[in-house]
Amino acid sequence: APDGAAVLNSLAWCRSLLSSPLVDIVASTREAAWFGGSDEQAAILRRAGSSFKAIVGVPCLESPGMWGSDGQCVRPAEGAVLGVLVLYATHPIPQTQQTALLLSLLGSSIAAATLAAPAQSRTLSPATSYSLHPQPSASSALGWLLLVAARVVQADVAEHWRAELGSAGVAMSAERLLIALSVGSGPGRGT
């Protein structure tokens, strides 16, 4: 596994230069955006010293799409963009139709969790191998869905950016961040 400090430095670099534009693109196009899949994008990440090989932004739409058994879209996702799921991985994430469909469903599930009333506090954490930020936040449907999204593509970091309507238009703010404990742990500590 990559060194935790290197991954956290990569996260800081990606959040300062890539996350905001990626979130804006996803929110405006209402489609997932992948960064790191092309040779040029991989070269940008390498030159920056980033340990991430893939960054994926997924819209959290109010109403999920529907797909037939053949994988063809029967009805596209619709409704407002309530947020954006951003996943960071130190390995390439396959850009397949199956992965895109699954992430789309997770995005809509996260939108539903965002709309729902906060869950009651639980004594359990979302998982033993991930750390939820901010720390004092109680476990919730959103936290559990971030965990599922992270595990589906084996992401090292998952975060949810919430869309907020203001007088100047829609603003996106980072609401939840889920980091693999192996990223934040020191040498010799496993997940």
Side-chain angles (χ1 to χ4, degrees):
D3 176 66
V7 173
L8 292 175
N9 286 337
S10 293
L11 177 62
W13 180 84
C14 287
R15 288 185 95 199
S16 68
L17 296 175
L18 293 175
S19 294
S20 291
L22 185 74
V23 166
D24 287 341
I25 289 168
V26 170
S28 63
T29 64
R30 304 165 54 82
E31 294 181 7
W34 302 68
F35 190 88
S38 73
D39 291 339
E40 292 170 337
Q41 293 170 348
I44 290 170
L45 292 172
R46 275 193 311 275
R47 279 194 305 268
S50 175
S51 57
F52 292 125
K53 304 267 190 274
I55 300 132
V56 181
V58 180
C60 300
L61 298 169
E62 205 168 18
S63 177
M66 292 176 51
W67 293 271
S69 59
D70 59 357
Q72 297 299 314
C73 183
V74 175
R75 184 188 61 132
E78 57 191 21
V81 176
L82 300 177
V84 175
L85 166 66
V86 181
L87 301 166
Y88 305 84
T90 54
H91 61 86
I93 296 174
Q95 194 171 344
T96 65
Q97 183 180 15
Q98 293 83 0
T99 303
L101 293 173
L102 187 55
L103 289 176
S104 175
L105 289 172
L106 283 168
S108 291
S109 299
I110 289 170
T114 301
L115 288 172
Q120 296 295 324
S121 294
R122 299 180 185 140
T123 56
L124 300 173
S125 64
T128 56
S129 61
Y130 283 87
S131 173
L132 185 62
H133 297 275
Q135 286 290 348
S137 49
S139 295
S140 66
L142 177 58
W144 288 98
L145 287 166
L146 283 176
L147 173 65
V148 169
R151 289 211 170 151
V152 161
V153 295
Q154 299 174 344
D156 299 284
V157 178
E159 64 182 340
H160 176 254
W161 290 68
R162 185 181 198 121
E164 298 172 349
L165 186 58
S167 60
V170 176
M172 302 297 278
S173 60
E175 180 179 40
R176 276 290 166 99
L177 178 67
L178 195 69
I179 301 174
L181 288 181
S182 60
V183 169
S185 64
R189 291 186 60 190
T191 56

